[in-house]
Amino acid sequence: MKKKWDYRIPQILAAPIFFIVLLFAVFKTSAQECPALVSPINGATLVSVDASISWEAITGVPGYIISLGTSPGGNDILNERNVGALTSYTSPAGLPESTEIFITITLFFFNQPNIVCESQSFTTAALSEAPQCVPSTFPANDALDINTATNISWNAAPNATGYFLSIGTTLNGSEILTSTDLGNSLNYNTPTDLPPEAEIFITIIPYNRIGIAAGCSTVMFTTAPEAVLPICTTMISPVNGETNVPLSPTLEWNAVTNATGYRVSIGTSPFETNILEDAIFFKTSTVIIDFEPNRTFFISIYPFNEAGEAIGCTQETFSTLVGCGPYFDPVSGELLVLNPELSFPDSVSICTDNEFNVITATDEADGYRWYKLDERGNETLLSTTAEVSIDEEGKYIHEAYVNIEESGRTFECSSSKMFEVKISQIPEIADVKVQITANSLNYEIFTTTTGNYEYAIDNKEGPYQDTNRFTNLSLQNHTIYVRDKDGCGLATKFVEQDLTVNGFPNFFTPNGDGDNDYWQYIPPVENTEPIIEVIYIFNQFGSLIQQLSPTSIGWDGTFNNQEMPETDYWYKASFVNQQPITGHFSLKR
């Protein structure tokens, strides 16, 4: 974070500082993964003629060159257009209808031969209606002081396959160019300059096989007095297509005799000016501080004078090859990256009762930075050590970096990730909902607090689980443990459960384990003397199988020394001076 340079003119015009830093890397020349089409997918049909083409990004590939044709490997529609690191392309003039279009993607590398991938294809849909009018032109309608050497251009009209153009000095006139079919071109350069200080009328009529656009307006602009434009220039350093360019290069271009200045734009793709946009220089060189490593840059230079700027200047490219990677290692056959690998978690919890909540980096690095993000995404630096104190919830950034020394220059390779801080607290058990089944108990645990909790039963050491539900528990009393995962504390609750009805157990388990092996009436605690005379036990057919004294150990689940089966049994208890009580219970083994 915090390493993007602001390429404004005052910085560009800083005193020349030329760091020559070259880090040569060898890139893979053997089998290389090629990208698949994302949209349209390979084999797609009925694709719109104005569709944008996109493909997968491949790790370690600095850039892409694409060709479009009507046959595998063909380039009759587009011939090897370098799009930099972009993974999409839209044809300015659209694509032909009802045609299988083949796209060939070439992987661009710095220090190895480019890799040409196998062609993929899709088929465009047929046009179903006449085109619309062009959305905009250059010069624009009512423009003033247009140079007489200006080329006329326009943006593509939807569904157009060609254009008729007429140029005149009167409304609907064609004194300069009678209506001419220019095919699918989007510009026209008049053989001679336009008349100076004149009103120029241009009419552009798009067409396709269905018909022509209707109701298209005539565009009028006014030319400037006659003057001589400067010609275009070319780069001296770095030269067009050069690689291994330092990260802080001196850019130099050829002087143009009648130019008073130069308008320079630089971008990371042919369609962007995200590094430098229309910066004006009155000399033929400048220094750029800290280009991004391992990238291709696209530079356009337009000389200008009082008559206007040069027309039709060609965009040039150069590539840097210094920095943190990825680099291809010919020994291991892998891509190497110098940035530290981060293991820091996506979220961290802090305890409400801790005066200082200290978070420590989990990554090995030469240095660290911690930032807090506000609601607008602005960053506030909190710490530059391996530890940071945080006392409130929110979003933060953890950054780790290593210092790399190469060719007498030290540069930084960093990795960063956003993480979220959540507040946690000591658990407090509010309630345990108990469900009694014929064979077992089910618990559901509720807390009055919120946090990152885990749950265990009958053992403080665990095992712990994330869910607050326990099922198929033995029919006995249990102890619940709720623990905060981030070390904020532990809560305990003993759950005592009455498993009888009026003192008669719902079940018993005569399996010889010493626990609940006998079925017997359990008198209430407040009673000191038994009030039951006798208890009779019947099977499901009504046969008497056991008679119990309330003072005996109880029934052991046998009849005539034979173990009785698992099922429900009935009992009848005779009380002193009271009506008998009947009910049923389960025998479980």
Side-chain angles (χ1 to χ4, degrees):
M1 308 298 296
K2 307 271 186 190
K3 299 190 183 65
K4 292 185 178 179
W5 287 86
D6 184 3
Y7 292 101
R8 290 176 288 192
I9 291 177
Q11 184 183 40
I12 299 299
L13 299 179
I17 302 174
F18 187 67
F19 296 110
I20 302 178
V21 185
L22 296 178
L23 182 59
F24 295 96
V26 179
F27 287 86
K28 193 171 184 178
T29 59
S30 57
Q32 168 71 51
E33 180 184 1
C34 280
L37 285 179
V38 174
S39 178
I41 62 173
N42 188 31
T45 58
L46 300 178
V47 176
S48 172
V49 294
D50 58 356
S52 179
I53 302 169
S54 61
W55 55 91
E56 296 175 331
I58 302 299
T59 302
V61 175
Y64 306 89
I65 298 171
I66 70 168
S67 294
L68 299 176
T70 54
S71 62
N75 57 11
D76 48 306
I77 298 175
L78 180 70
N79 184 22
E80 294 190 344
R81 180 64 184 266
N82 191 327
V83 296
L86 290 182
T87 57
S88 64
Y89 174 78
T90 303
S91 175
L95 300 168
E97 66 168 328
S98 301
T99 303
E100 186 175 10
I101 307 295
F102 292 85
I103 175 170
T104 303
I105 301 175
T106 298
L107 308 183
F108 170 78
F109 295 96
F110 299 117
N111 278 4
Q112 74 161 69
N114 294 337
I115 297 175
V116 180
C117 296
E118 184 178 352
S119 296
Q120 302 172 73
S121 71
F122 57 87
T123 302
T124 54
L127 296 174
S128 59
E129 58 184 2
Q132 303 173 26
C133 297
V134 297
S136 60
T137 64
F138 180 82
N141 191 39
D142 294 329
L144 302 174
D145 294 326
I146 300 301
N147 192 276
T148 57
T150 295
N151 294 337
I152 297 170
S153 62
W154 53 93
N155 288 327
N159 297 328
T161 59
Y163 302 87
F164 291 107
L165 173 67
S166 59
I167 308 174
T169 55
T170 59
L171 182 62
N172 298 323
S174 58
E175 297 87 352
I176 298 175
L177 179 70
T178 59
S179 183
T180 301
D181 185 353
L182 300 181
N184 205 19
S185 176
L186 298 179
N187 62 80
Y188 178 74
N189 186 14
T190 58
T192 60
D193 288 352
L194 297 171
E197 299 180 271
E199 290 185 344
I200 306 298
F201 298 84
I202 61 173
T203 303
I204 304 170
I205 307 296
Y207 67 86
N208 60 24
R209 64 174 176 79
I210 297 174
I212 64 174
C216 296
S217 302
T218 297
V219 173
M220 187 277 289
F221 60 88
T222 304
T223 55
E226 188 172 10
V228 178
L229 290 177
I231 63 173
C232 293
T233 184
T234 55
M235 291 292 296
I236 297 175
S237 176
V239 297
N240 187 30
E242 183 175 342
T243 60
N244 298 333
V245 174
L247 298 185
S248 298
T250 296
L251 304 182
E252 185 178 3
W253 53 90
N254 288 300
V256 175
T257 303
N258 63 336
T260 57
Y262 304 87
R263 194 182 308 275
V264 179
S265 295
I266 304 175
T268 54
S269 84
F271 320 107
E272 297 178 298
T273 55
N274 53 324
I275 303 299
L276 196 64
E277 183 175 7
D278 286 340
I280 295 176
F281 300 95
F282 297 100
K283 55 183 181 178
T284 58
S285 65
T286 187
V287 173
I288 302 290
I289 305 298
D290 277 352
F291 268 125
E292 185 179 356
N294 307 316
R295 292 295 295 267
T296 296
F297 296 90
F298 297 78
I299 182 169
S300 299
I301 304 176
Y302 283 86
F304 65 87
N305 59 20
E306 66 280 358
E309 68 178 28
I311 297 173
C313 297
T314 303
Q315 192 176 63
E316 298 181 277
T317 67
F318 60 88
S319 303
T320 57
L321 187 60
V322 178
C324 304
Y327 303 113
F328 178 71
D329 182 3
V331 177
S332 66
E334 298 178 349
L335 288 170
L336 302 181
V337 178
L338 302 182
N339 308 74
E341 184 176 353
L342 298 185
S343 60
F344 197 79
D346 295 329
S347 64
V348 176
S349 293
I350 58 177
C351 303
T352 55
D353 58 337
N354 285 358
E355 183 177 358
F356 298 104
N357 288 287
V358 177
I359 297 174
T360 303
T362 59
D363 315 296
E364 293 186 5
D366 294 329
Y368 307 89
R369 300 184 188 96
W370 306 85
Y371 302 94
K372 177 172 175 52
L373 289 175
D374 63 18
E375 293 179 353
R376 297 183 177 181
N378 299 317
E379 302 171 5
T380 301
L381 181 64
L382 301 180
S383 173
T384 56
T385 69
E387 294 183 341
V388 61
S389 294
I390 296 178
D391 58 4
E392 59 181 327
E393 289 184 319
K395 293 182 178 180
Y396 296 80
I397 291 176
H398 164 61
E399 181 181 24
Y401 64 87
V402 294
N403 295 317
I404 306 297
E405 293 187 5
E406 186 66 37
S407 302
R409 179 176 182 259
T410 300
F411 59 96
E412 188 180 283
C413 293
S414 66
S415 298
S416 62
K417 72 174 299 181
M418 186 178 73
F419 66 97
E420 188 172 1
V421 170
K422 300 178 181 179
I423 295 292
S424 192
Q425 53 191 317
I426 297 176
E428 182 176 327
I429 300 174
D431 187 27
V432 178
K433 180 180 178 182
V434 180
Q435 180 186 21
I436 304 174
T437 68
N439 303 320
S440 61
L441 299 175
N442 296 330
Y443 282 3
E444 184 174 6
I445 305 163
F446 298 92
T447 60
T448 58
T449 54
T450 58
N452 189 17
Y453 297 154
E454 56 187 358
Y455 307 83
I457 192 163
D458 293 333
N459 190 338
K460 182 179 179 180
E461 304 302 321
Y464 282 84
Q465 64 182 37
D466 290 335
T467 178
N468 67 331
R469 297 174 183 269
F470 290 91
T471 59
N472 297 320
L473 299 177
S474 60
L475 289 160
Q476 62 187 67
N477 298 327
H478 296 279
T479 302
I480 297 297
Y481 299 93
V482 181
R483 183 172 69 181
D484 182 77
K485 289 185 178 181
D486 301 294
C488 291
L490 175 74
T492 303
K493 184 178 182 66
F494 178 72
V495 182
E496 186 173 5
Q497 188 64 41
D498 183 7
L499 301 177
T500 69
V501 177
N502 297 322
F504 294 97
N506 291 321
F507 71 97
F508 78 120
T509 55
N511 52 18
D513 63 356
D515 184 20
N516 207 25
D517 283 337
Y518 296 89
W519 187 89
Q520 177 59 286
Y521 171 72
I522 302 173
V525 175
E526 60 271 16
N527 290 353
T528 58
E529 295 293 337
I531 60 175
I532 296 178
E533 292 183 319
V534 66
I535 302 171
Y536 302 98
I537 299 176
F538 306 88
N539 65 16
Q540 57 185 336
F541 304 107
S543 299
L544 178 65
I545 58 174
Q546 185 70 32
Q547 178 177 323
L548 295 179
S549 167
T551 59
S552 71
I553 193 172
W555 182 41
D556 64 359
T558 64
F559 179 66
N560 292 332
N561 296 322
Q562 297 293 320
E563 289 185 352
M564 297 300 290
E566 287 187 298
T567 186
D568 283 352
Y569 293 86
W570 293 85
Y571 66 86
K572 178 180 178 181
S574 296
F575 285 78
V576 175
N577 299 325
Q578 292 185 25
Q579 292 293 323
I581 292 178
T582 61
H584 65 91
F585 61 92
S586 297
L587 186 157
K588 304 294 180 182
R589 296 190 185 278

